[in-house]
Amino acid sequence: MTVTATSVDRSDQLTPRPTPGARGLALLRRLVPAAVSALSGVLLYVSFPPRTLWWLALPAFAGFGWVLRGRAWKAALGLGYLFGLGFLLPLLVWTGVEVGPGPWLALVAVEAIFVALVGVGVAAVSRLPAWPVWAAALWIAGEAVRARVPFRGFPWGKIAFGQADGVFLPLAAVGGTPVLGFAVVLCGFGLYEAGRLAVEGRRTRELRRGAAAAALLSVAVPVVGAVAARTLVSDKAEHGSVTVALIQGNVPRAGLDFASQRQAVLDHHVKETLRLAADIKAGKVAKPAFVLWPENSSDVDPYADAGAAAVIDEASKAVGVPISVGGVVERDGKLLNEQILWDPVKGPTSTYDKRQIQPFGEYLPLRGLVGAINKNWTGMVRQDFSRGTKPGVFDIDGTKVGLATCYEAAFDWDVRDTVTRGAQMISVPSNNATFDRSEMTYQQLAMSRIRAVEHSRTVTVPVTSGVSAIIMPDGTITQKTGMFVPAYLVQKVPLRTSRTPATELGILPEIALVLAAAGGVGWAIGSGLRRRRAGDA
């Protein structure tokens, strides 16, 4: 009889299988950071207008710092993406008001990639000394990239734009949106690090004084800097004052069907201007030096349509002063979003063509691909607008008014170069009718408040359907309208000529922070390589 030896694999008996409780605990350990990251993003969204809960940005970044610290790059990428989704999905929901969820979801999916990459960088620098500094610089570097690519960028959602009511606001005058945003993010990460070190000290009964001092300084320096920067904020006139009037004509209905209501929108703005003229004549309001109409107040080309030109001329003559009219015009085969200075005697004189036109709104990138996905989307933008090439500054009887049309208010350079070219006040003519009663108009209004402080200029915001407003150089709103109501605003506002450090420095603070971010990542990579070599040895 032959006996055959049989090999039996008992490895499954030797290796203990995880119990259901252990598996649940492991799953929980993975889910908790993911949930915290997404909820921290939502918390950041809640800190933005129309709410005045600016301070929620600090715990939002504290939570983000907690989930990222010490993570591997793959985990950090996913957690960063979840933070981006939690923040941007609700913040940008207005982009789908008239066109459906497709473009909104696509925009958020792309923009959240930038946040995910920032998350990888934050995780990489989180072991460095004074890591909140490098991490905050990385966030601003991410914003700098988002503001430029793709399709010339989309800066919406900059941290600075959520701080119009916050204690950090004066820092906008120091270094613009990059410095203001950096201070907020630094303070948030610093709060987490200070709390982490305090817990660690209680557990080990040892306090690392250098690390603790760096964490506390990360919180204290932004606050102290903001208090010190208040000396740069003023609403005093430096070059006299001027009385201005803003017209909000309203629209017959919200939506994208401009073709069917262009003449009605123009008539609404003429009617409200005639009402202003009657009230001036009756002594109810002061006569302004000029009148500001919003973007798209005359989508009927007054150069090509004699009737449109006639009613604009009627309004200008009735009020007796120049009107800045937001028109859509065609010139030399180009479609232009144009501000036209219409004089009651001379008619149209100066013009400004919008330079930062909105992708998928005023022009359609990748038209063939978009049409293949949904032909209705290409029908909404039948002809692309062309870009203007020169900054807009109207000289209206000696008052220099800088122009940043609607979407341009989100771009640092488009506002700054009006001031460097002599603007004593700024106007942001806008059309928010396509976004119904969403938060978009409040988010954009907050941007204009930041710009007022950043450059120490009065900012006026005439909008077709609301909210129109007058903003002092210290960021205070002195008058505003409701939404979807015809109204006018008249007020004497200060003219200023001095330049803030932010105006003078321009892009330099942003460059410095991008370089700091690159230096932090380089340091982290070098440290990791040295540790790996030491381990191999």
Side-chain angles (χ1 to χ4, degrees):
M1 184 173 72
T2 303
V3 178
T4 304
T6 304
S7 175
V8 179
D9 183 2
R10 300 181 182 276
S11 60
D12 59 331
Q13 299 175 18
L14 298 175
T15 303
R17 294 182 179 180
T19 63
R23 288 197 298 269
L25 185 60
L27 179 62
L28 187 63
R29 285 175 178 170
R30 289 194 294 268
L31 289 179
V32 167
V36 170
S37 191
L39 289 173
S40 294
V42 173
L43 199 64
L44 182 59
Y45 154 70
V46 176
S47 75
F48 271 64
R51 294 156 297 276
T52 58
L53 302 174
W54 57 270
W55 51 272
L56 286 178
L58 305 184
F61 279 102
F64 195 38
W66 176 75
V67 299
L68 289 177
R69 188 175 186 278
R71 296 283 178 183
W73 74 267
K74 289 182 180 179
L77 187 71
L79 292 169
Y81 199 75
L82 286 172
F83 183 83
L85 292 179
F87 173 43
L88 296 171
L89 270 172
L91 185 80
L92 302 179
V93 68
W94 50 267
T95 59
V97 166
E98 291 294 338
V99 294
W104 162 51
L105 295 175
L107 173 64
V108 171
V110 171
E111 293 296 310
I113 292 172
F114 295 99
V115 181
L117 294 174
V118 168
V120 174
V122 171
V125 303
S126 64
R127 297 293 189 184
L128 296 179
W131 73 265
V133 175
W134 315 113
L138 273 162
W139 183 272
I140 301 306
E143 289 189 343
V145 175
R146 280 207 308 121
R148 290 165 174 84
V149 294
F151 313 123
R152 297 204 176 191
F154 186 74
W156 219 277
K158 276 191 169 188
I159 298 305
F161 296 151
Q163 297 295 310
D165 292 293
V167 298
F168 299 102
L169 177 61
L171 290 170
V174 175
T177 60
V179 168
L180 174 53
F182 173 76
V184 175
V185 181
L186 175 61
C187 199
F189 284 144
L191 279 174
Y192 160 65
E193 181 65 356
R196 186 187 72 82
L197 290 172
V199 171
E200 182 183 274
R202 287 183 181 179
R203 187 174 65 249
T204 63
R205 296 187 179 182
E206 289 185 12
L207 181 63
R208 291 182 288 154
R209 293 182 179 179
L216 292 175
L217 286 173
S218 297
V219 178
V221 169
V223 176
V224 172
V227 173
R230 290 182 63 86
T231 59
L232 299 173
V233 180
S234 174
D235 63 355
K236 304 298 182 185
E238 295 175 331
H239 194 74
S241 301
V242 66
T243 299
V244 300
L246 281 62
I247 299 296
Q248 178 173 297
N250 199 17
V251 297
R253 60 190 174 277
L256 294 173
D257 54 337
F258 291 120
S260 63
Q261 54 178 329
R262 288 174 179 170
Q263 186 63 52
V265 172
L266 172 57
D267 291 343
H268 277 44
H269 285 83
V270 170
K271 181 180 179 181
E272 194 63 21
T273 305
L274 294 178
R275 186 171 78 89
L276 168 64
D279 287 348
I280 292 170
K281 188 175 181 179
K284 295 180 180 179
V285 294
K287 183 177 181 179
F290 49 88
V291 176
L292 302 169
W293 282 12
E295 178 188 33
N296 297 123
S297 47
S298 180
D299 278 357
V300 182
D301 186 348
Y303 295 109
D305 190 297
V311 294
I312 294 171
D313 202 54
E314 175 192 4
S316 182
K317 284 180 166 59
V319 79
V321 297
I323 301 175
S324 179
V325 178
V328 172
V329 305
E330 190 166 352
R331 185 181 297 113
D332 300 325
K334 296 180 178 179
L335 192 64
L336 300 166
N337 186 332
E338 187 168 86
Q339 287 292 310
I340 308 165
L341 186 60
W342 200 286
D343 187 86
V345 177
K346 301 176 183 177
T349 54
S350 302
T351 60
Y352 165 64
D353 299 324
K354 187 177 182 181
R355 294 171 293 160
Q356 198 71 45
I357 57 177
Q358 184 181 350
F360 303 100
E362 292 172 302
Y363 80 102
L364 197 60
L366 310 173
R367 184 176 287 272
L369 177 61
V370 172
I373 297 171
N374 190 325
K375 291 182 179 180
N376 291 331
W377 294 344
T378 58
M380 293 175 185
V381 188
R382 293 186 177 88
Q383 181 180 351
D384 291 343
F385 279 81
S386 295
R387 302 177 188 277
T389 57
K390 297 179 180 179
V393 180
F394 283 168
D395 189 332
I396 311 177
D397 295 332
T399 298
K400 293 185 177 180
V401 182
L403 298 165
T405 305
C406 196
Y407 184 56
E408 293 181 320
F411 293 83
D412 296 348
W413 46 90
D414 278 320
V415 181
R416 176 180 175 269
D417 63 11
T418 68
V419 180
T420 58
R421 284 163 175 77
Q424 300 162 320
M425 62 171 286
I426 300 168
S427 184
V428 184
S430 303
N431 173 25
N432 298 339
T434 53
F435 305 112
D436 205 0
R437 297 182 180 273
S438 70
E439 294 181 356
M440 182 271 186
T441 192
Y442 300 103
Q443 294 171 8
Q444 190 179 55
L445 184 60
M447 292 179 193
S448 295
R449 294 179 64 190
I450 300 299
R451 300 306 182 193
V453 174
E454 181 179 8
H455 300 294
S456 195
R457 295 293 187 270
T458 297
V459 177
T460 57
V461 188
V463 184
T464 51
S465 57
V467 174
S468 299
I470 297 174
I471 305 166
M472 291 293 98
D474 63 358
T476 302
I477 297 175
T478 53
Q479 288 193 64
K480 65 180 181 179
T481 69
M483 294 184 71
F484 289 96
V485 293
Y488 67 73
L489 303 175
V490 179
Q491 185 175 319
K492 179 183 283 189
V493 300
L495 300 177
R496 293 179 61 85
T497 53
S498 63
R499 295 185 182 183
T500 64
T503 307
E504 294 285 4
L505 292 171
I507 197 175
L508 292 179
E510 186 176 59
I511 291 175
L513 290 169
V514 170
L515 291 176
V521 171
W523 185 6
I525 292 173
S527 297
L529 290 174
R530 286 191 295 272
R531 286 195 300 269
R532 187 174 300 173
R533 288 168 185 167
D536 292 341

